[in-house]
């Protein structure tokens, strides 16, 4: 169940108001406007692998710390859940978190490896919307109990965000109208996303997430 949650968080991060409107800009920047099919695949792939690597390291660290705190699992669940709830309230614009900042400088992208670097920089300078769901995924990893599971959770989160990005890079011309339709409903999307985070946070704080995972296992 927690893998499903983190995958959904990755997908929602992709369609968030901070990411989707800039998608054509990112793809054009990565490919250099080139019509070569290889550039439309290899450079976006490097970008995705860049942020995936950093996210997995975050999951590894969170899971490793979690394994040291297993004796205090209840406290870890409560603290992690409260943080996720705060992210949800921020997403609903009820409270304001200013510590997430977007990218101010972008490296020049002219190869697979420079796209990889761009992905790494992107991962450490996330916008508020993506940061909220990434934070939620990290909190799930922090309550996972093992470094391996923490890493896998952030890998699944990255897949949720990376797979749509790669598909969009390949099919960008055909998806423009679909993106425009999504943009028209961002107010409703924000509401659903914020509520989703709050529900996940409540489940974590009350220990229901672990019970639900055990029930579905």
């Amino acid at each position: 169940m927690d893998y499903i949650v983190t995958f959904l968080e990755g997908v929602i991060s992709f369609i968030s108001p901070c990411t989707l409107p800039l998608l054509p800009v990112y793809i054009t920047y990565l490919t250099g406007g080139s019509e070569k099919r290889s550039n439309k695949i290899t450079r976006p792939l490097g970008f995705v692998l860049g942020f995936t690597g950093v996210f997995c390291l975050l999951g590894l660290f969170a899971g490793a710390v979690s394994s040291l705190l297993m004796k205090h699992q209840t406290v870890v669940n409560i603290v992690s859940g409260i943080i996720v709830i705060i992210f949800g309230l921020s997403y609903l614009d009820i409270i304001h978190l200013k510590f997430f900042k977007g990218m101010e400088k972008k490296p020049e992208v002219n190869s697979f490896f420079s796209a990889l670097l761009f992905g790494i920089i992107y991962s450490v300078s996330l916008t508020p919307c993506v940061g909220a769901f990434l934070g939620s995924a990290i909190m799930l990893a922090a309550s996972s109990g093992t470094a391996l599971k923490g890493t896998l959770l952030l890998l699944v989160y990255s897949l949720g965000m990376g797979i749509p990005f790669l598909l969009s890079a390949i099919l960008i011309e055909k998806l423009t109208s679909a993106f425009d339709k999504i943009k028209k409903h961002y107010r409703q999307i924000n509401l659903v996303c914020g509520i989703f985070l709050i529900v996940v946070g409540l489940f974590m704080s009350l220990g229901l997430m672990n019970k639900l995972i055990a029930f579905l296992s």
Side-chain angles (χ1 to χ4, degrees):
M1 180 64 185
D2 45 356
Y3 292 106
I4 295 175
V5 170
T6 52
F7 183 81
L8 289 175
E9 288 174 336
V11 173
I12 296 172
S13 295
F14 172 78
I15 65 173
S16 69
C18 297
T19 302
L20 195 60
L22 295 175
L23 185 63
V25 177
Y26 280 130
I27 292 176
T28 301
Y29 179 71
L30 285 167
T31 61
S34 173
E35 296 298 324
K36 293 176 63 177
R37 185 172 180 82
S38 59
N39 285 349
K40 289 186 177 182
I41 298 176
T42 56
R43 293 182 188 177
L45 178 60
F47 175 73
V48 171
L49 290 177
F51 69 69
T52 296
V54 175
F55 291 164
C56 287
L57 287 175
L58 290 174
L60 174 65
F61 176 76
V65 172
S66 173
S67 65
L68 297 176
L69 299 175
M70 283 301 293
K71 294 181 180 180
H72 308 284
Q73 186 66 43
T74 300
V75 176
V76 172
N77 288 341
I78 292 174
V79 173
S80 299
I82 290 174
I83 293 174
V84 173
I85 291 172
I86 292 174
F87 286 148
L89 294 174
S90 176
Y91 208 90
L92 293 175
D93 208 28
I94 295 175
I95 60 176
H96 301 280
L97 301 178
K98 298 181 180 180
F99 52 84
F100 293 122
K101 295 183 179 179
M103 286 180 294
E104 297 178 355
K105 296 183 179 179
K106 303 182 183 68
E108 181 180 354
V109 176
N110 50 25
S111 67
F112 173 85
F113 293 104
S114 58
L116 187 73
L117 175 61
F118 184 34
I120 293 173
I121 294 175
Y122 175 82
S123 68
V124 297
S125 54
L126 293 167
T127 55
C129 297
V130 177
F133 284 96
L134 173 61
S136 174
I138 291 174
M139 290 303 103
L140 279 172
S143 60
S144 64
T146 67
L148 175 60
K149 187 172 182 180
T151 305
L152 291 176
L153 283 170
L154 268 296
L155 174 61
V156 171
Y157 170 86
S158 300
L159 290 175
M161 191 173 175
I163 291 174
F165 186 90
L166 291 175
L167 291 176
S168 299
I170 297 171
L171 305 171
I172 186 65
E173 296 86 358
K174 300 179 180 179
L175 295 176
T176 303
S177 60
F179 291 156
D180 290 338
K181 291 180 180 179
I182 293 175
K183 293 175 188 177
K184 293 179 181 179
H185 300 284
Y186 268 149
R187 186 173 183 178
Q188 293 89 338
I189 291 174
N190 283 343
L191 178 63
V192 172
C193 291
I195 293 174
F196 175 77
L197 282 173
I198 292 171
V199 170
V200 170
L202 286 172
F203 268 61
M204 292 174 66
S205 293
L206 298 175
L208 297 178
M209 183 67 75
N210 292 337
K211 293 180 180 178
L212 183 59
I213 293 170
F215 175 77
L216 295 176
S217 300

